[in-house]
Amino acid sequence: MYRAIKVRIYPTDEQETYLAQCFGNTRWLWNYMLNTTTTAYKETGKGLSKAVMDKLLPELKKEYEWLGLAYSQVLQRVTFNLSSSFVNFFEGRAKFPNFKSKHGKQSIQYPQNVKLMPQDSVIKFPGSLRLMKTVFHKELPSGKFSAVTISKNADGKYYASILFNQEDKPVPAIREAIGVDLGLKNFAVTSEGSKYDLPSKQLALLEKNRKRKQNKLAKKTDKASNKRCKVKRLVAKVSSKIARVREDFLHKLSRNIAYENQVICVEDLAVKNMVKNPNLAKSISDQGWGMFQTMLKYKAEKFGHTYVEIGRFFPSSQLCSETLLPIPVLQNGYDSLGVRFVNCPHCQKQHDRDINAAVNIRNEGLRILALGTSASALGGDVRPKSSGRKKSMTTEAIPRELGSLYCTIRSV
């Protein structure tokens, strides 16, 4: 399994100048090759393969001498990444490749001839870059690394992402299974009764700081002025801080859940559709549900555990986790985000809405694993999977077989 370790690097002034040249060269080459292969596809019906793009490199270096200032394998990696982007697009894993801009994040990739020297706190790069000061904040894996990517964020900080290919050993879990319900009131509620919230106070202060700097940036009308560039850099620094705070929380929570549980059950959320609500769009976007589910998935695979997504139409919050019968208060049009505790007329108990939903998600995930939902359809009452390009762990078709909670409401 591939695993990336991201470390902070501190280039000198000369190295920053060279990196700026390399960023520009690779960006120009990407845009040139993307335009060339798109034009060829429109004219002939066929694009350019990686081999064809590599054959164009020598002539381009002769025509544009400044292109040869970058390390040769860095340029070859551009054609490899562009070819992979087209493969991912045609197989439905990604969108069509976009042209790169000189604004925002910049990156180059070294596929080999890089030497890691953690004992000296440096990384040795080939070509003109040579030794670069590095902070190794954790012990590196024992496996071999396949590539090193140097990136520069909008806030001006440099990072090196080291890609390792190693075999992960299974980790014995503490609990058999857990259900996770994601929401706005609490970021995550588990079937064990635990509730987790984002560091809202810290994020609120940072958001206020960013808003103040954005207002200051809006007053700088001359886009070429140095003052506007300085304020723009300040906005980028605050935005980067907000992203790091949220990402740190998501990493710690996802690792804790994936490490302790053998089976992790999560609801498949249609975030793109949910953000269309103008009243909740920003609140939903700030939660980072999609990133959290991605982290849960790959960390569960790393520890040898099982990650399951149940269908987004599963009525997890409308069913009683004790009797599996619908709760009238939530079913008959009175479902409101303000209702946090409900009384079930069937079991005569009061349920916490979020914990009850998490328990139902866990039970449905275990049922899918036990029955093999994708192969146990009983007839024609099957709802096909959405035609979107997002790949998910949900089954290709959701059958209405016996034991499924999908048909519980219909049967009452």
Side-chain angles (χ1 to χ4, degrees):
M1 181 178 179
Y2 287 100
R3 179 189 177 191
I5 302 295
K6 193 173 184 179
V7 296
R8 180 80 181 275
I9 56 177
Y10 296 87
T12 61
D13 294 339
E14 293 78 8
Q15 290 174 333
E16 285 189 10
T17 303
Y18 177 76
L19 286 175
Q21 178 71 44
C22 293
F23 291 148
N25 290 3
T26 55
R27 183 178 62 250
W28 180 90
L29 182 61
W30 172 281
N31 293 339
Y32 178 86
M33 291 298 181
L34 178 57
N35 179 68
T36 303
T37 188
T38 304
T39 304
Y41 182 81
K42 291 180 180 179
E43 295 177 352
T44 64
K46 293 183 179 180
L48 303 182
S49 64
K50 181 184 182 302
V52 175
M53 287 189 286
D54 286 339
K55 290 181 180 179
L56 297 177
L57 278 177
E59 295 298 329
L60 289 175
K61 287 183 179 180
K62 293 179 181 180
E63 183 177 358
Y64 306 98
E65 296 182 358
W66 46 266
L67 196 61
L69 296 177
Y71 188 58
S72 60
Q73 292 186 0
V74 170
L75 299 179
Q76 294 173 8
R77 200 64 179 181
V78 173
T79 61
F80 174 82
N81 292 336
L82 181 58
S83 178
S84 300
S85 298
F86 276 110
V87 172
N88 293 332
F89 167 73
F90 287 114
E91 293 184 358
R93 291 192 296 267
K95 296 181 180 180
F96 190 83
N98 293 325
F99 290 99
K100 294 185 180 296
S101 170
K102 66 178 181 180
H103 305 289
K105 184 177 180 179
Q106 308 292 324
S107 65
I108 58 175
Q109 194 173 68
Y110 287 85
Q112 57 184 3
N113 298 331
V114 178
K115 185 177 181 181
L116 305 180
M117 306 170 65
Q119 66 279 2
D120 299 326
S121 299
V122 294
I123 298 178
K124 184 178 181 180
F125 292 94
S128 303
L129 206 54
R130 308 304 296 170
L131 298 177
M132 186 175 296
K133 181 182 177 182
T134 309
V135 176
F136 294 93
H137 61 282
K138 63 170 63 176
E139 185 178 355
L140 299 179
S142 58
K144 295 182 179 180
F145 63 95
S146 56
V148 177
T149 301
I150 298 178
S151 60
K152 178 186 177 183
N153 290 350
D155 59 357
K157 295 180 180 179
Y158 292 82
Y159 297 90
S161 182
I162 310 167
L163 185 63
F164 290 88
N165 187 5
Q166 60 178 9
E167 296 183 1
D168 296 313
K169 298 180 180 179
V171 177
I174 300 175
R175 286 184 292 269
E176 177 184 355
I178 193 172
V180 182
D181 179 60
L182 303 177
L184 294 177
K185 181 69 174 179
N186 302 104
F187 174 80
V189 179
T190 68
S191 56
E192 303 297 324
S194 301
K195 297 184 179 182
Y196 302 93
D197 295 322
L198 285 166
S200 55
K201 291 185 178 180
Q202 184 179 7
L203 291 175
L205 291 175
L206 291 172
E207 287 283 0
K208 185 177 180 180
N209 187 14
R210 179 168 64 177
K211 185 177 180 180
R212 183 170 58 250
K213 287 181 169 57
Q214 285 176 334
N215 292 334
K216 188 176 180 180
L217 176 63
K219 297 178 182 179
K220 308 294 182 182
T221 56
D222 186 6
K223 295 185 177 181
S225 65
N226 291 330
K227 289 185 178 180
R228 188 179 188 278
C229 292
K230 291 180 180 180
V231 178
K232 188 176 180 180
R233 178 67 62 85
L234 293 177
V235 174
K237 286 184 177 181
V238 180
S239 300
S240 177
K241 177 67 174 179
I242 293 173
R244 291 199 306 272
V245 169
R246 183 179 293 109
E247 188 176 356
D248 178 71
F249 168 80
L250 297 179
H251 269 299
K252 291 178 179 178
L253 178 58
S254 59
R255 188 195 185 280
N256 183 38
I257 294 177
Y259 183 84
E260 295 181 351
N261 300 277
Q262 183 64 38
V263 179
I264 301 99
C265 307
V266 186
E267 188 176 10
D268 178 31
L269 299 176
V271 180
K272 289 185 179 180
N273 295 334
M274 298 171 68
V275 296
K276 293 179 181 179
N277 184 340
N279 298 323
L280 299 175
K282 188 178 188 306
S283 299
I284 293 174
S285 300
D286 290 344
Q287 295 297 309
W289 291 334
M291 182 184 297
F292 178 70
Q293 289 179 316
T294 301
M295 292 179 179
L296 267 182
K297 181 180 177 181
Y298 80 75
K299 289 177 182 179
E301 294 176 354
K302 172 186 174 182
F303 297 132
H305 299 165
T306 305
Y307 174 84
V308 181
E309 284 185 6
I310 67 171
R312 63 187 61 170
F313 298 105
F314 174 70
S316 59
S317 61
Q318 299 179 13
L319 303 177
C320 173
S321 58
E322 297 287 340
T323 62
L324 306 183
L325 295 175
I327 302 176
V329 176
L330 300 177
Q331 183 191 7
N332 298 328
Y334 301 103
D335 190 1
S336 171
L337 294 177
V339 179
R340 310 317 305 173
F341 293 89
V342 293
N343 296 317
C344 177
H346 307 291
C347 66
Q348 306 300 323
K349 293 182 180 180
Q350 187 181 63
H351 296 289
D352 183 295
R353 171 179 176 157
D354 297 326
I355 297 177
N356 179 73
V359 173
N360 286 331
I361 291 173
R362 180 197 62 190
N363 295 339
E364 177 66 8
L366 293 177
R367 187 195 65 82
I368 291 175
L369 290 178
L371 298 182
T373 310
S374 60
S376 60
L378 294 180
D381 190 10
V382 175
R383 179 170 64 252
K385 183 182 176 183
S386 172
S387 59
R389 291 187 176 274
K390 177 184 175 182
K391 296 295 182 181
S392 176
M393 291 294 292
T394 54
T395 53
E396 292 297 326
I398 303 175
R400 310 290 193 179
E401 76 273 15
L402 297 178
S404 172
L405 299 185
Y406 282 93
C407 58
T408 304
I409 295 180
R410 298 174 183 265
S411 61
V412 175

